[in-house]
Amino acid sequence: MSTPPVRLSTLAHGGGCGCKLDPAVLRGLLAGQPAAGPFERLLVGNETSDDAAVWALDDGTCIVATTDFFTPMVDDPRDFGRIAATNAISDVYAMGGRPIMALAILGMPVGKIPPETVAAILAGGASLCAEAGIPVAGGHSIDTPEPIYGLAVIGTCRRDQVRRNADARAGDALILTKPLGVGVYSAAIKREALRPEDYAAFVATTTRLNRVGADLAGDADVHALTDVTGFGLIGHGLEIARGAGLIVVVEADAVPLLARAEELVRDGFVTGASHRNWAAFSDSVALPADLPEWRRHLLTDPQTSGGLLVACAAARAGAILAQVRDAGFAQAAIVGRIEAGPSALRVV
């Protein structure tokens, strides 16, 4: 009798970007750390919780460097590798850069997962890197209690095309390029409650490269970029607000959702990370009194390999949205705006 395949999602306490540290805990840890220091060529460090570090070279070229890894949110090893790779590469695109190579980060519970499963994870990541046009040039592996996979990614961009999360301007429009609901779908996957067609939609969105970010960075009317991952739309929206010292306004009804996201939330598929995100950010968020609870859960839903949040000149928002949709992001939408005022996020 053959041994049943190992369900990767059952070997981890959390999955995807939902296994990030509690944002309140993370803030406390980072508050006690020294700043990156007075390095003239360090254009982006750890001061604004941005997506990647950026270092300027002599000729005006910048190096963009990031790392991202997590535990499985799916059971198919190749899909796990592809999703994790897409998520890691996204940080480079979110800075306006283009990736040039990656290094694999691998932690596996030796003896619990067969070698062919680990090989499939690595192959999935490598296939996605090939789609992005970059090699996996090396890496590091260790024996860990839970499966972990991800990448360190290096990219480049021109100095004038670096796009931070902190440079939004009052009057800007906000565009979100991918629908929310990845965390909710992940919870359903773990409980084997997601239909095959919904799983296919989940994989399609989480493996869609955010390469449009590099194209948008060439447009002077695109002022700020970030990707929406483990802290949800509210958490990453607040990073924009705090970095710019402005108010981010999110129009709840305009936010795109995966097809069954509302239904699954109403059925109880809410992650622990969603609750942690709300506890960490609620003191800086104003909600309308009649906002349904299911919608609030989706605003804090942790996204794995989520979309880009784009702050751009309002007069060009329609044209920029059309560019994003033409790049393959059919559900991209204008979801809010930036207003003058003390750092906060308001849902309307």
Side-chain angles (χ1 to χ4, degrees):
M1 185 174 180
S2 62
T3 303
V6 176
R7 289 193 63 214
L8 289 176
S9 64
T10 66
L11 298 178
H13 71 286
C17 288
C19 66
K20 279 187 174 183
L21 284 179
D22 182 312
V25 172
L26 183 60
R27 279 205 305 270
L29 292 173
L30 294 179
Q33 300 299 311
F39 294 94
E40 181 180 352
R41 294 188 187 177
L42 183 64
L43 304 185
V44 182
N46 57 12
E47 61 280 348
T48 59
S49 302
D50 221 320
D51 297 294
V54 180
W55 184 272
L57 300 178
D58 288 336
D59 64 352
T61 301
C62 294
I63 297 296
V64 183
T66 184
T67 182
D68 213 317
F69 52 89
F70 46 61
T71 54
M73 78 304 296
V74 295
D75 296 318
D76 183 288
R78 187 175 178 85
D79 286 346
F80 173 37
R82 293 171 64 220
I83 293 166
T86 310
N87 181 76
I89 295 169
S90 178
D91 287 340
V92 172
Y93 293 133
M95 301 304 302
R98 297 184 188 277
I100 57 173
M101 70 174 178
L103 304 173
I105 300 166
L106 180 70
M108 288 292 141
V110 174
K112 292 183 180 179
I113 298 179
E116 56 268 26
T117 297
V118 181
I121 294 169
L122 293 172
S127 71
L128 208 294
C129 287
E131 184 179 332
I134 64 173
V136 179
H140 186 64
S141 61
I142 60 171
D143 184 1
T144 52
E146 298 181 327
I148 296 169
Y149 176 71
L151 301 173
V153 188
I154 305 299
T156 62
C157 67
R158 301 298 301 173
R159 185 165 183 158
D160 62 353
Q161 292 185 354
V162 174
R163 289 296 181 271
R164 305 192 308 158
N165 65 359
D167 293 330
R169 304 177 188 178
D172 278 353
L174 278 176
I175 295 171
L176 178 63
T177 64
K178 289 186 183 181
L180 301 184
V182 169
V184 172
Y185 275 45
S186 298
I189 289 168
K190 195 160 190 175
R191 288 160 57 181
E192 298 184 276
L194 198 65
R195 298 183 306 219
E197 61 268 30
D198 297 317
Y199 179 78
F202 169 91
V203 172
T205 190
T206 54
T207 58
R208 181 169 292 118
L209 288 163
N210 281 327
R211 67 173 95 227
V212 70
D215 299 325
L216 294 176
D219 189 329
D221 286 325
V222 173
H223 303 140
L225 288 172
T226 193
D227 60 353
V228 178
T229 56
F231 298 153
L233 179 59
I234 277 180
H236 294 286
L238 267 174
E239 289 176 345
I240 288 177
R242 289 167 174 165
L246 298 168
I247 299 171
V248 166
V249 179
V250 173
E251 299 171 11
D253 291 343
V255 175
L257 305 175
L258 289 171
R260 290 188 64 213
E262 176 184 347
E263 175 190 342
L264 289 169
V265 171
R266 290 180 180 274
D267 287 343
F269 292 97
V270 177
T271 67
S274 176
H275 294 293
R276 292 194 299 273
N277 286 342
W278 179 242
F281 301 129
S282 58
D283 59 348
S284 299
V285 177
L287 301 179
D290 59 349
L291 186 75
E293 186 74 357
W294 67 265
R295 195 175 286 281
R296 197 268 293 166
H297 279 307
L298 285 168
L299 293 175
T300 56
D301 186 53
Q303 304 305 289
T304 298
S305 192
L308 297 176
L309 193 57
V310 183
C312 63
R316 297 232 18 258
I320 292 169
L321 175 61
Q323 178 184 351
V324 171
R325 288 179 173 171
D326 287 345
F329 299 86
Q331 287 189 257
I334 297 171
V335 298
R337 59 189 181 275
I338 307 292
E339 294 182 350
S343 302
L345 187 144
R346 188 169 79 249
V347 179
V348 296

PDB file of all heavy atoms in Angstrom, residues 27 30 35-36 43-54 95 162-168 224-226 231 235-245:
ATOM      1  N   ARG A  27       7.021  46.112  15.009  1.00  0.00           N
ATOM      2  CA  ARG A  27       7.319  47.534  15.239  1.00  0.00           C
ATOM      3  C   ARG A  27       8.157  47.712  16.487  1.00  0.00           C
ATOM      4  O   ARG A  27       9.097  48.498  16.527  1.00  0.00           O
ATOM      5  CB  ARG A  27       6.023  48.346  15.350  1.00  0.00           C
ATOM      6  CG  ARG A  27       5.382  48.707  14.035  1.00  0.00           C
ATOM      7  CD  ARG A  27       4.513  49.970  14.129  1.00  0.00           C
ATOM      8  NE  ARG A  27       3.500  49.865  15.157  1.00  0.00           N
ATOM      9  CZ  ARG A  27       2.278  49.374  14.951  1.00  0.00           C
ATOM     10  NH1 ARG A  27       1.954  48.908  13.762  1.00  0.00           N
ATOM     11  NH2 ARG A  27       1.392  49.339  15.926  1.00  0.00           N
ATOM     12  N   LEU A  30      11.795  46.516  15.782  1.00  0.00           N
ATOM     13  CA  LEU A  30      12.562  47.415  14.920  1.00  0.00           C
ATOM     14  C   LEU A  30      12.829  48.750  15.589  1.00  0.00           C
ATOM     15  O   LEU A  30      13.834  49.412  15.285  1.00  0.00           O
ATOM     16  CB  LEU A  30      11.817  47.622  13.601  1.00  0.00           C
ATOM     17  CG  LEU A  30      11.693  46.382  12.716  1.00  0.00           C
ATOM     18  CD1 LEU A  30      10.914  46.706  11.456  1.00  0.00           C
ATOM     19  CD2 LEU A  30      13.063  45.809  12.371  1.00  0.00           C
ATOM     20  N   ALA A  35      19.346  52.763  13.202  1.00  0.00           N
ATOM     21  CA  ALA A  35      19.054  53.088  11.802  1.00  0.00           C
ATOM     22  C   ALA A  35      20.169  52.543  10.922  1.00  0.00           C
ATOM     23  O   ALA A  35      21.260  52.207  11.390  1.00  0.00           O
ATOM     24  CB  ALA A  35      18.923  54.597  11.633  1.00  0.00           C
ATOM     25  N   ALA A  36      19.888  52.439   9.631  1.00  0.00           N
ATOM     26  CA  ALA A  36      20.866  51.857   8.711  1.00  0.00           C
ATOM     27  C   ALA A  36      22.154  52.662   8.646  1.00  0.00           C
ATOM     28  O   ALA A  36      23.181  52.167   8.213  1.00  0.00           O
ATOM     29  CB  ALA A  36      20.252  51.721   7.325  1.00  0.00           C
ATOM     30  N   LEU A  43      19.908  54.759  -0.647  1.00  0.00           N
ATOM     31  CA  LEU A  43      18.754  55.606  -0.942  1.00  0.00           C
ATOM     32  C   LEU A  43      17.511  55.165  -0.190  1.00  0.00           C
ATOM     33  O   LEU A  43      16.667  55.989   0.170  1.00  0.00           O
ATOM     34  CB  LEU A  43      18.467  55.595  -2.451  1.00  0.00           C
ATOM     35  CG  LEU A  43      19.616  56.004  -3.369  1.00  0.00           C
ATOM     36  CD1 LEU A  43      19.127  56.067  -4.808  1.00  0.00           C
ATOM     37  CD2 LEU A  43      20.225  57.331  -2.936  1.00  0.00           C
ATOM     38  N   VAL A  44      17.354  53.869   0.030  1.00  0.00           N
ATOM     39  CA  VAL A  44      16.219  53.328   0.772  1.00  0.00           C
ATOM     40  C   VAL A  44      16.757  52.271   1.728  1.00  0.00           C
ATOM     41  O   VAL A  44      17.376  51.292   1.305  1.00  0.00           O
ATOM     42  CB  VAL A  44      15.157  52.693  -0.157  1.00  0.00           C
ATOM     43  CG1 VAL A  44      13.975  52.194   0.661  1.00  0.00           C
ATOM     44  CG2 VAL A  44      14.698  53.686  -1.216  1.00  0.00           C
ATOM     45  N   GLY A  45      16.525  52.494   3.014  1.00  0.00           N
ATOM     46  CA  GLY A  45      16.927  51.539   4.041  1.00  0.00           C
ATOM     47  C   GLY A  45      15.714  51.049   4.803  1.00  0.00           C
ATOM     48  O   GLY A  45      14.674  50.761   4.218  1.00  0.00           O
ATOM     49  N   ASN A  46      15.834  51.012   6.136  1.00  0.00           N
ATOM     50  CA  ASN A  46      14.740  50.473   6.949  1.00  0.00           C
ATOM     51  C   ASN A  46      13.864  51.537   7.585  1.00  0.00           C
ATOM     52  O   ASN A  46      13.047  51.245   8.444  1.00  0.00           O
ATOM     53  CB  ASN A  46      15.302  49.555   8.045  1.00  0.00           C
ATOM     54  CG  ASN A  46      16.324  50.256   8.934  1.00  0.00           C
ATOM     55  OD1 ASN A  46      16.459  51.478   8.882  1.00  0.00           O
ATOM     56  ND2 ASN A  46      17.044  49.485   9.731  1.00  0.00           N
ATOM     57  N   GLU A  47      14.012  52.788   7.122  1.00  0.00           N
ATOM     58  CA  GLU A  47      13.333  53.888   7.815  1.00  0.00           C
ATOM     59  C   GLU A  47      11.836  53.960   7.540  1.00  0.00           C
ATOM     60  O   GLU A  47      11.087  54.501   8.361  1.00  0.00           O
ATOM     61  CB  GLU A  47      13.996  55.228   7.458  1.00  0.00           C
ATOM     62  CG  GLU A  47      13.974  55.601   5.975  1.00  0.00           C
ATOM     63  CD  GLU A  47      15.029  54.907   5.145  1.00  0.00           C
ATOM     64  OE1 GLU A  47      15.946  54.283   5.727  1.00  0.00           O
ATOM     65  OE2 GLU A  47      14.934  54.972   3.905  1.00  0.00           O
ATOM     66  N   THR A  48      11.361  53.456   6.420  1.00  0.00           N
ATOM     67  CA  THR A  48       9.936  53.586   6.103  1.00  0.00           C
ATOM     68  C   THR A  48       9.257  52.246   5.823  1.00  0.00           C
ATOM     69  O   THR A  48       8.205  52.208   5.195  1.00  0.00           O
ATOM     70  CB  THR A  48       9.725  54.507   4.873  1.00  0.00           C
ATOM     71  OG1 THR A  48      10.413  53.956   3.747  1.00  0.00           O
ATOM     72  CG2 THR A  48      10.209  55.915   5.157  1.00  0.00           C
ATOM     73  N   SER A  49       9.850  51.145   6.286  1.00  0.00           N
ATOM     74  CA  SER A  49       9.260  49.810   6.072  1.00  0.00           C
ATOM     75  C   SER A  49       8.975  49.566   4.597  1.00  0.00           C
ATOM     76  O   SER A  49       7.937  49.024   4.235  1.00  0.00           O
ATOM     77  CB  SER A  49       7.965  49.653   6.883  1.00  0.00           C
ATOM     78  OG  SER A  49       8.197  49.860   8.253  1.00  0.00           O
ATOM     79  N   ASP A  50       9.923  49.959   3.762  1.00  0.00           N
ATOM     80  CA  ASP A  50       9.727  49.805   2.321  1.00  0.00           C
ATOM     81  C   ASP A  50       9.980  48.359   1.902  1.00  0.00           C
ATOM     82  O   ASP A  50      10.361  47.511   2.710  1.00  0.00           O
ATOM     83  CB  ASP A  50      10.621  50.774   1.543  1.00  0.00           C
ATOM     84  CG  ASP A  50       9.909  51.398   0.352  1.00  0.00           C
ATOM     85  OD1 ASP A  50       9.151  50.670  -0.320  1.00  0.00           O
ATOM     86  OD2 ASP A  50      10.096  52.593   0.105  1.00  0.00           O
ATOM     87  N   ASP A  51       9.774  48.077   0.610  1.00  0.00           N
ATOM     88  CA  ASP A  51       9.791  46.700   0.132  1.00  0.00           C
ATOM     89  C   ASP A  51      11.180  46.131  -0.076  1.00  0.00           C
ATOM     90  O   ASP A  51      11.369  44.908  -0.042  1.00  0.00           O
ATOM     91  CB  ASP A  51       9.000  46.613  -1.180  1.00  0.00           C
ATOM     92  CG  ASP A  51       7.541  46.976  -0.971  1.00  0.00           C
ATOM     93  OD1 ASP A  51       6.853  46.226  -0.276  1.00  0.00           O
ATOM     94  OD2 ASP A  51       7.104  48.023  -1.491  1.00  0.00           O
ATOM     95  N   ALA A  52      12.166  46.985  -0.318  1.00  0.00           N
ATOM     96  CA  ALA A  52      13.527  46.516  -0.570  1.00  0.00           C
ATOM     97  C   ALA A  52      14.500  47.644  -0.269  1.00  0.00           C
ATOM     98  O   ALA A  52      14.112  48.811  -0.158  1.00  0.00           O
ATOM     99  CB  ALA A  52      13.679  46.067  -2.026  1.00  0.00           C
ATOM    100  N   ALA A  53      15.768  47.280  -0.117  1.00  0.00           N
ATOM    101  CA  ALA A  53      16.823  48.279   0.042  1.00  0.00           C
ATOM    102  C   ALA A  53      17.315  48.710  -1.331  1.00  0.00           C
ATOM    103  O   ALA A  53      17.315  47.917  -2.277  1.00  0.00           O
ATOM    104  CB  ALA A  53      17.968  47.702   0.862  1.00  0.00           C
ATOM    105  N   VAL A  54      17.753  49.960  -1.426  1.00  0.00           N
ATOM    106  CA  VAL A  54      18.243  50.491  -2.700  1.00  0.00           C
ATOM    107  C   VAL A  54      19.575  51.194  -2.457  1.00  0.00           C
ATOM    108  O   VAL A  54      19.676  52.054  -1.580  1.00  0.00           O
ATOM    109  CB  VAL A  54      17.237  51.479  -3.339  1.00  0.00           C
ATOM    110  CG1 VAL A  54      17.773  52.004  -4.660  1.00  0.00           C
ATOM    111  CG2 VAL A  54      15.878  50.815  -3.533  1.00  0.00           C
ATOM    112  N   MET A  95       9.709  48.512  -6.053  1.00  0.00           N
ATOM    113  CA  MET A  95      10.616  49.653  -5.928  1.00  0.00           C
ATOM    114  C   MET A  95      10.859  50.328  -7.273  1.00  0.00           C
ATOM    115  O   MET A  95      11.602  51.309  -7.352  1.00  0.00           O
ATOM    116  CB  MET A  95      11.964  49.204  -5.352  1.00  0.00           C
ATOM    117  CG  MET A  95      11.880  48.548  -3.986  1.00  0.00           C
ATOM    118  SD  MET A  95      11.088  49.554  -2.712  1.00  0.00           S
ATOM    119  CE  MET A  95      12.107  51.019  -2.707  1.00  0.00           C
ATOM    120  N   VAL A 162      13.514  55.078  -8.941  1.00  0.00           N
ATOM    121  CA  VAL A 162      13.226  54.453  -7.644  1.00  0.00           C
ATOM    122  C   VAL A 162      11.880  54.968  -7.153  1.00  0.00           C
ATOM    123  O   VAL A 162      11.618  56.176  -7.144  1.00  0.00           O
ATOM    124  CB  VAL A 162      14.333  54.788  -6.620  1.00  0.00           C
ATOM    125  CG1 VAL A 162      13.946  54.265  -5.239  1.00  0.00           C
ATOM    126  CG2 VAL A 162      15.664  54.211  -7.056  1.00  0.00           C
ATOM    127  N   ARG A 163      11.012  54.050  -6.756  1.00  0.00           N
ATOM    128  CA  ARG A 163       9.693  54.443  -6.240  1.00  0.00           C
ATOM    129  C   ARG A 163       9.528  53.890  -4.826  1.00  0.00           C
ATOM    130  O   ARG A 163       9.426  52.690  -4.618  1.00  0.00           O
ATOM    131  CB  ARG A 163       8.577  53.906  -7.148  1.00  0.00           C
ATOM    132  CG  ARG A 163       8.496  54.610  -8.500  1.00  0.00           C
ATOM    133  CD  ARG A 163       8.138  56.075  -8.351  1.00  0.00           C
ATOM    134  NE  ARG A 163       8.020  56.769  -9.641  1.00  0.00           N
ATOM    135  CZ  ARG A 163       9.029  57.369 -10.268  1.00  0.00           C
ATOM    136  NH1 ARG A 163      10.248  57.370  -9.720  1.00  0.00           N
ATOM    137  NH2 ARG A 163       8.836  57.986 -11.423  1.00  0.00           N
ATOM    138  N   ARG A 164       9.535  54.806  -3.855  1.00  0.00           N
ATOM    139  CA  ARG A 164       9.381  54.412  -2.460  1.00  0.00           C
ATOM    140  C   ARG A 164       7.901  54.341  -2.092  1.00  0.00           C
ATOM    141  O   ARG A 164       7.037  54.857  -2.806  1.00  0.00           O
ATOM    142  CB  ARG A 164      10.091  55.409  -1.547  1.00  0.00           C
ATOM    143  CG  ARG A 164      11.560  55.621  -1.882  1.00  0.00           C
ATOM    144  CD  ARG A 164      12.264  56.390  -0.780  1.00  0.00           C
ATOM    145  NE  ARG A 164      11.553  57.625  -0.453  1.00  0.00           N
ATOM    146  CZ  ARG A 164      11.667  58.273   0.714  1.00  0.00           C
ATOM    147  NH1 ARG A 164      12.454  57.805   1.658  1.00  0.00           N
ATOM    148  NH2 ARG A 164      11.006  59.395   0.925  1.00  0.00           N
ATOM    149  N   ASN A 165       7.614  53.767  -0.935  1.00  0.00           N
ATOM    150  CA  ASN A 165       6.230  53.761  -0.447  1.00  0.00           C
ATOM    151  C   ASN A 165       5.885  55.072   0.237  1.00  0.00           C
ATOM    152  O   ASN A 165       4.722  55.295   0.590  1.00  0.00           O
ATOM    153  CB  ASN A 165       5.986  52.575   0.496  1.00  0.00           C
ATOM    154  CG  ASN A 165       6.794  52.645   1.789  1.00  0.00           C
ATOM    155  OD1 ASN A 165       7.578  53.576   2.005  1.00  0.00           O
ATOM    156  ND2 ASN A 165       6.629  51.646   2.635  1.00  0.00           N
ATOM    157  N   ALA A 166       6.879  55.950   0.425  1.00  0.00           N
ATOM    158  CA  ALA A 166       6.690  57.140   1.256  1.00  0.00           C
ATOM    159  C   ALA A 166       6.490  58.422   0.458  1.00  0.00           C
ATOM    160  O   ALA A 166       6.414  59.500   1.056  1.00  0.00           O
ATOM    161  CB  ALA A 166       7.899  57.305   2.180  1.00  0.00           C
ATOM    162  N   ASP A 167       6.395  58.341  -0.855  1.00  0.00           N
ATOM    163  CA  ASP A 167       6.408  59.557  -1.673  1.00  0.00           C
ATOM    164  C   ASP A 167       5.062  59.909  -2.300  1.00  0.00           C
ATOM    165  O   ASP A 167       5.001  60.653  -3.282  1.00  0.00           O
ATOM    166  CB  ASP A 167       7.470  59.424  -2.762  1.00  0.00           C
ATOM    167  CG  ASP A 167       8.872  59.392  -2.172  1.00  0.00           C
ATOM    168  OD1 ASP A 167       9.079  59.998  -1.115  1.00  0.00           O
ATOM    169  OD2 ASP A 167       9.758  58.746  -2.782  1.00  0.00           O
ATOM    170  N   ALA A 168       3.982  59.368  -1.749  1.00  0.00           N
ATOM    171  CA  ALA A 168       2.650  59.765  -2.220  1.00  0.00           C
ATOM    172  C   ALA A 168       2.432  61.257  -1.962  1.00  0.00           C
ATOM    173  O   ALA A 168       3.027  61.835  -1.052  1.00  0.00           O
ATOM    174  CB  ALA A 168       1.582  58.947  -1.514  1.00  0.00           C
ATOM    175  N   ALA A 224       4.364  56.845  -5.888  1.00  0.00           N
ATOM    176  CA  ALA A 224       4.712  55.877  -4.850  1.00  0.00           C
ATOM    177  C   ALA A 224       4.193  54.504  -5.235  1.00  0.00           C
ATOM    178  O   ALA A 224       3.142  54.379  -5.873  1.00  0.00           O
ATOM    179  CB  ALA A 224       4.134  56.302  -3.492  1.00  0.00           C
ATOM    180  N   LEU A 225       4.944  53.466  -4.822  1.00  0.00           N
ATOM    181  CA  LEU A 225       4.554  52.082  -5.065  1.00  0.00           C
ATOM    182  C   LEU A 225       4.837  51.257  -3.814  1.00  0.00           C
ATOM    183  O   LEU A 225       5.813  51.502  -3.107  1.00  0.00           O
ATOM    184  CB  LEU A 225       5.358  51.465  -6.218  1.00  0.00           C
ATOM    185  CG  LEU A 225       5.093  51.904  -7.652  1.00  0.00           C
ATOM    186  CD1 LEU A 225       6.161  51.299  -8.567  1.00  0.00           C
ATOM    187  CD2 LEU A 225       3.715  51.467  -8.089  1.00  0.00           C
ATOM    188  N   THR A 226       4.011  50.277  -3.561  1.00  0.00           N
ATOM    189  CA  THR A 226       4.315  49.234  -2.585  1.00  0.00           C
ATOM    190  C   THR A 226       3.504  48.017  -2.975  1.00  0.00           C
ATOM    191  O   THR A 226       2.532  48.134  -3.727  1.00  0.00           O
ATOM    192  CB  THR A 226       3.994  49.679  -1.147  1.00  0.00           C
ATOM    193  OG1 THR A 226       4.579  48.765  -0.218  1.00  0.00           O
ATOM    194  CG2 THR A 226       2.492  49.750  -0.898  1.00  0.00           C
ATOM    195  N   PHE A 231       0.456  42.268   5.738  1.00  0.00           N
ATOM    196  CA  PHE A 231      -0.256  43.187   6.622  1.00  0.00           C
ATOM    197  C   PHE A 231      -1.582  43.659   6.035  1.00  0.00           C
ATOM    198  O   PHE A 231      -2.268  44.493   6.635  1.00  0.00           O
ATOM    199  CB  PHE A 231       0.624  44.391   6.964  1.00  0.00           C
ATOM    200  CG  PHE A 231       1.893  44.029   7.695  1.00  0.00           C
ATOM    201  CD1 PHE A 231       3.017  44.819   7.596  1.00  0.00           C
ATOM    202  CD2 PHE A 231       1.961  42.880   8.476  1.00  0.00           C
ATOM    203  CE1 PHE A 231       4.194  44.477   8.263  1.00  0.00           C
ATOM    204  CE2 PHE A 231       3.137  42.532   9.148  1.00  0.00           C
ATOM    205  CZ  PHE A 231       4.251  43.340   9.034  1.00  0.00           C
ATOM    206  N   GLY A 235      -2.829  47.602   6.373  1.00  0.00           N
ATOM    207  CA  GLY A 235      -1.484  47.748   6.912  1.00  0.00           C
ATOM    208  C   GLY A 235      -0.527  48.410   5.942  1.00  0.00           C
ATOM    209  O   GLY A 235       0.234  49.320   6.312  1.00  0.00           O
ATOM    210  N   HIS A 236      -0.553  47.989   4.694  1.00  0.00           N
ATOM    211  CA  HIS A 236       0.363  48.578   3.716  1.00  0.00           C
ATOM    212  C   HIS A 236      -0.099  49.962   3.279  1.00  0.00           C
ATOM    213  O   HIS A 236       0.723  50.817   2.938  1.00  0.00           O
ATOM    214  CB  HIS A 236       0.539  47.621   2.541  1.00  0.00           C
ATOM    215  CG  HIS A 236       1.234  46.349   2.941  1.00  0.00           C
ATOM    216  ND1 HIS A 236       2.580  46.293   3.210  1.00  0.00           N
ATOM    217  CD2 HIS A 236       0.755  45.101   3.177  1.00  0.00           C
ATOM    218  CE1 HIS A 236       2.909  45.058   3.567  1.00  0.00           C
ATOM    219  NE2 HIS A 236       1.815  44.315   3.559  1.00  0.00           N
ATOM    220  N   GLY A 237      -1.404  50.202   3.319  1.00  0.00           N
ATOM    221  CA  GLY A 237      -1.891  51.553   3.098  1.00  0.00           C
ATOM    222  C   GLY A 237      -1.416  52.507   4.186  1.00  0.00           C
ATOM    223  O   GLY A 237      -1.050  53.657   3.916  1.00  0.00           O
ATOM    224  N   LEU A 238      -1.392  52.016   5.420  1.00  0.00           N
ATOM    225  CA  LEU A 238      -0.896  52.841   6.533  1.00  0.00           C
ATOM    226  C   LEU A 238       0.590  53.143   6.383  1.00  0.00           C
ATOM    227  O   LEU A 238       1.047  54.223   6.770  1.00  0.00           O
ATOM    228  CB  LEU A 238      -1.157  52.147   7.863  1.00  0.00           C
ATOM    229  CG  LEU A 238      -2.452  52.498   8.572  1.00  0.00           C
ATOM    230  CD1 LEU A 238      -2.638  51.629   9.805  1.00  0.00           C
ATOM    231  CD2 LEU A 238      -2.482  53.983   8.968  1.00  0.00           C
ATOM    232  N   GLU A 239       1.362  52.199   5.820  1.00  0.00           N
ATOM    233  CA  GLU A 239       2.775  52.485   5.590  1.00  0.00           C
ATOM    234  C   GLU A 239       2.939  53.650   4.619  1.00  0.00           C
ATOM    235  O   GLU A 239       3.817  54.503   4.800  1.00  0.00           O
ATOM    236  CB  GLU A 239       3.479  51.235   5.060  1.00  0.00           C
ATOM    237  CG  GLU A 239       3.649  50.148   6.115  1.00  0.00           C
ATOM    238  CD  GLU A 239       4.258  48.871   5.576  1.00  0.00           C
ATOM    239  OE1 GLU A 239       4.307  48.696   4.345  1.00  0.00           O
ATOM    240  OE2 GLU A 239       4.687  48.034   6.399  1.00  0.00           O
ATOM    241  N   ILE A 240       2.086  53.711   3.603  1.00  0.00           N
ATOM    242  CA  ILE A 240       2.105  54.858   2.692  1.00  0.00           C
ATOM    243  C   ILE A 240       1.744  56.136   3.444  1.00  0.00           C
ATOM    244  O   ILE A 240       2.404  57.171   3.302  1.00  0.00           O
ATOM    245  CB  ILE A 240       1.143  54.628   1.514  1.00  0.00           C
ATOM    246  CG1 ILE A 240       1.712  53.577   0.558  1.00  0.00           C
ATOM    247  CG2 ILE A 240       0.869  55.930   0.752  1.00  0.00           C
ATOM    248  CD1 ILE A 240       0.798  53.240  -0.607  1.00  0.00           C
ATOM    249  N   ALA A 241       0.698  56.061   4.260  1.00  0.00           N
ATOM    250  CA  ALA A 241       0.247  57.240   5.004  1.00  0.00           C
ATOM    251  C   ALA A 241       1.327  57.748   5.953  1.00  0.00           C
ATOM    252  O   ALA A 241       1.603  58.954   6.034  1.00  0.00           O
ATOM    253  CB  ALA A 241      -1.030  56.893   5.780  1.00  0.00           C
ATOM    254  N   ARG A 242       1.941  56.837   6.684  1.00  0.00           N
ATOM    255  CA  ARG A 242       2.960  57.239   7.660  1.00  0.00           C
ATOM    256  C   ARG A 242       4.217  57.745   6.981  1.00  0.00           C
ATOM    257  O   ARG A 242       4.854  58.692   7.450  1.00  0.00           O
ATOM    258  CB  ARG A 242       3.272  56.062   8.576  1.00  0.00           C
ATOM    259  CG  ARG A 242       2.131  55.738   9.546  1.00  0.00           C
ATOM    260  CD  ARG A 242       2.306  54.396  10.231  1.00  0.00           C
ATOM    261  NE  ARG A 242       1.263  54.189  11.247  1.00  0.00           N
ATOM    262  CZ  ARG A 242       0.982  53.009  11.793  1.00  0.00           C
ATOM    263  NH1 ARG A 242       1.669  51.924  11.415  1.00  0.00           N
ATOM    264  NH2 ARG A 242       0.035  52.904  12.693  1.00  0.00           N
ATOM    265  N   GLY A 243       4.592  57.124   5.876  1.00  0.00           N
ATOM    266  CA  GLY A 243       5.782  57.565   5.169  1.00  0.00           C
ATOM    267  C   GLY A 243       5.626  58.960   4.586  1.00  0.00           C
ATOM    268  O   GLY A 243       6.564  59.764   4.618  1.00  0.00           O
ATOM    269  N   ALA A 244       4.447  59.247   4.069  1.00  0.00           N
ATOM    270  CA  ALA A 244       4.200  60.538   3.415  1.00  0.00           C
ATOM    271  C   ALA A 244       3.675  61.593   4.376  1.00  0.00           C
ATOM    272  O   ALA A 244       3.640  62.772   4.030  1.00  0.00           O
ATOM    273  CB  ALA A 244       3.207  60.357   2.268  1.00  0.00           C
ATOM    274  N   GLY A 245       3.230  61.175   5.576  1.00  0.00           N
ATOM    275  CA  GLY A 245       2.622  62.120   6.504  1.00  0.00           C
ATOM    276  C   GLY A 245       1.283  62.629   6.010  1.00  0.00           C
ATOM    277  O   GLY A 245       0.953  63.806   6.189  1.00  0.00           O
TER     278      GLY A 245
END
